[in-house]
Amino acid sequence: MLLTGRSFKLQLNQLFIVFILSALYAITAILLLASYEDIPSGVSTTIHFLYPLAVTVVMSVLFGEKTTLVTYIAVAVSLLGVGLLAWGDHDVGDFRRGVMLALTTVFTYAAYIVALMKSRASRIDTLVLTFYVLLFGAALFFVYALSTTGVESVHGWSHWRDVVMLAALCTALSDLTLIRAVKLIGSTKTSILGSMEPLTAVVVGVIYFNERFDLLSIIGLILIILSVVLVIARAPKTETE
């Protein structure tokens, strides 16, 4: 923001909605991280990727946007995919608890996106909004840490490396490239390419963390990605796109 000359000023009526957005963003992250303790990261991320369907349903029910038959078919396919993921062979923690936590992130993140589109936040510069959402989110995480396990010190090069990579590569660079992609190729193509997210999580989980992923889980993953791509591909394009 400093390099591009952005102003850090926000109007008073914008602060409240930015704080709500930050809370939804932080809650989503907390629940998703918690789900990793009970289910494989690939399964959790795949379930979380149902949020585009949740956004479509909310926009249809609350804001009267037209919903096609393809959307309802996609919802049914996605639910079948989640069911297959849940029935897969996973010898980890409390699988039911992990699935419920991951499913909750679908609704919190969908609420975040809907609020982003339908509130005063839509008129805030994208980079400025990203900055404040991450800033307030960090503050909320700090309070959450103090009220639970406390804030632990980071020791050793390997731990610092992981923290820096999570902050720089997985968060900051990811957000900035996503914003840039939307500006260059539009939200539809960007969202379709986003289908690689659960695939990436599965591959990393299996190779790096030795997570098990059986045939039913693979079919469930494919069904969920297919359902999301169906909805996004059928969405009407804007003039910019």
Side-chain angles (χ1 to χ4, degrees):
M1 288 176 63
L2 289 172
L3 289 173
T4 56
R6 299 292 208 285
S7 172
F8 285 81
K9 292 182 180 179
L10 282 181
Q11 297 177 8
L12 190 61
N13 59 1
Q14 293 175 327
L15 278 174
F16 177 73
I17 185 59
V18 170
F19 181 78
I20 295 299
L21 288 170
S22 303
L24 290 170
Y25 193 87
I27 291 170
T28 300
I30 290 171
L31 294 177
L32 198 60
L33 288 171
S35 71
Y36 291 161
E37 298 178 5
D38 294 311
I39 59 178
S41 59
V43 174
S44 180
T45 306
T46 303
I47 294 174
H48 171 70
F49 197 67
L50 288 169
Y51 71 82
L53 298 184
V55 170
T56 302
V57 172
V58 170
M59 295 298 291
S60 174
V61 174
L62 297 183
F63 298 98
E65 288 194 358
K66 293 183 179 180
T67 304
T68 64
L69 178 61
V70 172
T71 300
Y72 292 112
I73 293 174
V75 171
V77 170
S78 67
L79 291 176
L80 176 60
V82 172
L84 290 175
L85 281 174
W87 290 331
D89 184 14
H90 309 291
D91 55 346
V92 284
D94 187 341
F95 195 80
R96 183 178 298 178
R97 175 179 177 272
V99 169
M100 290 305 300
L101 289 171
L103 282 174
T104 304
T105 70
V106 174
F107 299 103
T108 56
Y109 201 62
Y112 169 78
I113 292 176
V114 171
L116 194 61
M117 291 188 296
K118 293 296 183 179
S119 69
R120 295 187 185 93
S122 62
R123 297 190 290 272
I124 301 174
D125 179 85
T126 304
L127 193 58
V128 176
L129 181 59
T130 302
F131 168 77
Y132 278 108
V133 166
L134 294 179
L135 177 65
F136 292 161
L140 291 169
F141 259 101
F142 183 71
V143 173
Y144 173 75
L146 290 179
S147 62
T148 53
T149 59
V151 180
E152 298 181 10
S153 301
V154 180
H155 300 289
W157 157 247
S158 62
H159 290 172
W160 273 112
R161 177 201 61 201
D162 293 343
V163 170
V164 171
M165 290 294 285
L166 281 170
L169 182 63
C170 302
T171 304
L173 182 61
S174 175
D175 286 348
L176 289 174
T177 51
L178 177 68
I179 295 167
R180 186 63 176 162
V182 171
K183 291 181 181 296
L184 289 174
I185 64 174
S187 59
T188 300
K189 290 185 179 69
T190 302
S191 299
I192 292 174
L193 291 172
S195 298
M196 292 300 294
E197 178 186 339
L199 284 175
T200 304
V202 168
V203 172
V204 172
V206 171
I207 295 176
Y208 192 76
F209 298 112
N210 296 317
E211 294 176 347
R212 298 177 64 180
F213 214 73
D214 61 2
L215 180 60
L216 285 180
S217 299
I218 294 173
I219 296 173
L221 168 70
I222 293 172
L223 289 177
I224 289 176
I225 294 175
L226 176 63
S227 66
V228 174
V229 172
L230 275 175
V231 170
I232 295 172
R234 296 284 295 181
K237 293 185 177 181
T238 63
E239 281 186 27
T240 303
E241 293 175 303

